[in-house]
Amino acid sequence: MLDTPIVRIENLRVEFETRDGPVVGVEDVSFAVNPGETVCVVGESGSGKSVSSLSLMRLIDYGGGTIAGGRILFDRREGGAVDLAKTDQSLMRTIRGNEIGMIFQEPMTALNPVFTVGRQLSEGLRVHRGLDKVAARAQALELLREVRIPEPERRLEQYPHELSGGMRQRVVIAMALACKPRLLIADEPTTALDVTIQAEILALIDRLKRETGTAVIFITHDMAVVAQMADRVVVMFRGNKVEEGPVEQIFEAPRHDYTRALLAAVPKLGEMRGKAWPEPMRLLGADAQEIAPIKGQDQELLRVKGLITRFPVKGGFFRRTLANVHAVEDVSFSLNKGRTLSLVGESGCGKSTAGRSILRLVEPMAGEVVLDGVDIMALGPADLRRARVDMQMVFQDPFASLNPQMKLAAQVAEPMKNYGLASGSEIEDRVAMLFDRVELPRSFLRRFPHELSGGQRQRVAIARALALNPKLIVADEAVSALDVSVQAQVLNLMMELQADLGLSYVFISHDMAVVERVSHDVGVMYLGRIVERGPRAAVFENPQHPYTQALMKAVPIADPRRRKSEKDLNFKPIPSPIHRVGYVPGPSVYEEVTPGHFVLTSESGY
């Protein structure tokens, strides 16, 4: 009986109706999932992997799609198999949530902003399992504990916007697991999460699968996650399944060219061992110009000393400051010309705030920031505006940082117009040249942001940051939301530009394999402080601080024979960075382990 698949997808075809006629989202896909098995569906944006999962839930009907052919046979708890492709929506409402759970990619849109977390969690329990208010609340609390949310009693009363991305994603997972479904569909559930939270969530899904025999369809573009989770892998490309097989076979002997290219684009932790300087990745089928390893210069460009940034927590009738969030606490480092310093750590560790504080997009409370001999902290508004020519930022979400109503050429030209650095015809030539540099066709100059893919939008954001010939670029999670092959191309582009133009980067990321590939120096942040910093080889190959060691342990490796065990993935919950008014933290004291490799000794809290 155990061999009966929980779900069988046979020759699925999904079409979307557009003004130009029908567009095929999924052409012809077949695969099955057995009880207690994890099948990973991999592929890049637009390959049809999410469309397949939405068809399974019949949510595709609400997204403008129709199932034009094929069968989806689902084995129900009672009543045998049903063809979900032909089931009416009233029965689907019973199956959805109750027998098939879904974890969506974007937790902010999956949660209702006007209801508390407790209400949203208990709603499904009351509808599907007939629990009363008190029992549903108790069960909701238990679910939050299961997904390891700190202070679960307090979280029940909070609204989604009060939680971090990682916490919201855990709430979505708790909701999907509330009714102990037979099939769990996880659509990119860890894309936006830190390594430690990702590792815990992967371990959690794996543990629940073992304990309950739930079948899991795991949709992702992260090959390291596939290696950690999958029993079998289905590779999709342009709406078709191009390869399927056991996870070891897919990684060790891929047959299809697309699978090979996908695996070649994955940065693997440990690949840079023994290499002194960053170097671009070798991609299959790409005629990448040979770039020598990027050494950089010995001349200092940026010096940050004793940087402190805090945000007030206000409350009460008079909106008094009751406490402060210690986002960045006594951070110091220096960066040489033509080099990359990476700041790594989990959500809420202060790395993005540190990047913004250096550019004074967020005003620091104290500290020194000296860029090429200019004291940035001492500048008034007019001088700061002039200094911004030398320091630019690439944000995490290019869609939010580009203006949806302006053509791309105008957006890249805007900084040059603002600073009067060139006349009309010069600007046009320079914008075209910048598009060539970031490898976008000139026909894109007339397009709007929504007409581009995520990777192409991020290239536009890089072109705009380069428009003023800056000396320093702060890249805040600039590649975290991109597909593997697109991420590899954007990283190679950033390294080529560094080699050609002598750019310096402060690279903010939580992806350790990417950081290892691009960095000269690394600073590991925890609770607003840098707990360890030094040359990339020293920090990665000889981590000294317990937090750095835990972070390294958590990174999934794109090799199914080197999976992490659950005991590798137990992390201490991060203490709160909020302290009462008047709290005076101690200074950061470092010990130099080897030349240039510093480890925090006091106030570490880890």
Side-chain angles (χ1 to χ4, degrees), residues 85-153:
K86 297 189 171 58
T87 306
D88 65 51
Q89 284 291 356
S90 60
L91 178 57
M92 278 311 301
R93 272 195 287 278
T94 311
I95 293 174
R96 244 185 253 130
N98 205 10
E99 296 181 50
I100 305 179
M102 183 147 184
I103 303 166
F104 292 93
Q105 177 171 1
E106 181 39 73
M108 199 59 208
T109 49
L111 293 170
N112 190 327
V114 299
F115 292 136
T116 62
V117 165
R119 175 155 175 195
Q120 294 186 59
L121 263 173
S122 42
E123 185 180 24
L125 293 162
R126 292 176 72 179
V127 169
H128 289 299
R129 286 175 56 190
L131 300 181
D132 64 22
K133 202 170 181 180
V134 178
R137 190 181 166 79
Q139 184 62 38
L141 193 62
E142 191 48 47
L143 282 162
L144 289 187
R145 283 203 187 97
E146 256 180 42
V147 294
R148 306 238 173 94
I149 283 192
E151 303 177 75
E153 293 85 357

Side-chain angles (χ1 to χ4, degrees), residues 32-77:
V33 190
N34 296 318
E37 181 181 42
T38 301
V39 171
C40 280
V41 182
V42 299
E44 296 178 81
S45 300
S47 64
K49 53 189 194 302
S50 291
V51 172
S52 306
S53 71
L54 290 170
S55 306
L56 237 166
M57 293 284 274
R58 284 290 298 282
L59 292 170
I60 202 77
D61 305 19
Y62 302 105
T66 47
I67 297 174
R71 299 196 302 166
I72 304 169
L73 298 174
F74 176 64
D75 185 35
R76 295 194 63 194
R77 274 196 192 108

Side-chain angles (χ1 to χ4, degrees), residues 236-278:
M236 287 188 67
F237 179 59
R238 293 192 181 158
N240 286 297
K241 178 178 86 175
V242 294
E243 190 162 357
E244 178 181 1
V247 64
E248 286 88 358
Q249 184 192 315
I250 295 285
F251 274 81
E252 287 160 19
R255 300 243 176 98
H256 198 276
D257 291 344
Y258 175 68
T259 315
R260 287 195 201 111
L262 205 57
L263 287 164
V266 180
K268 295 178 190 69
L269 198 64
E271 272 184 327
M272 299 297 287
R273 195 172 275 269
K275 297 180 180 180
W277 312 109

Side-chain angles (χ1 to χ4, degrees), residues 436-453:
D436 295 345
R437 282 259 42 166
V438 297
E439 292 166 21
L440 284 175
R442 291 192 177 187
S443 59
F444 279 27
L445 289 165
R446 292 182 298 281
R447 289 196 181 183
F448 290 94
H450 70 270
E451 298 178 274
L452 271 58
S453 72

Side-chain angles (χ1 to χ4, degrees), residues 527-541:
L527 272 184
R529 292 180 191 266
I530 291 183
V531 294
E532 185 162 357
R533 67 182 160 88
R536 185 251 313 148
V539 175
F540 271 76
E541 291 164 30

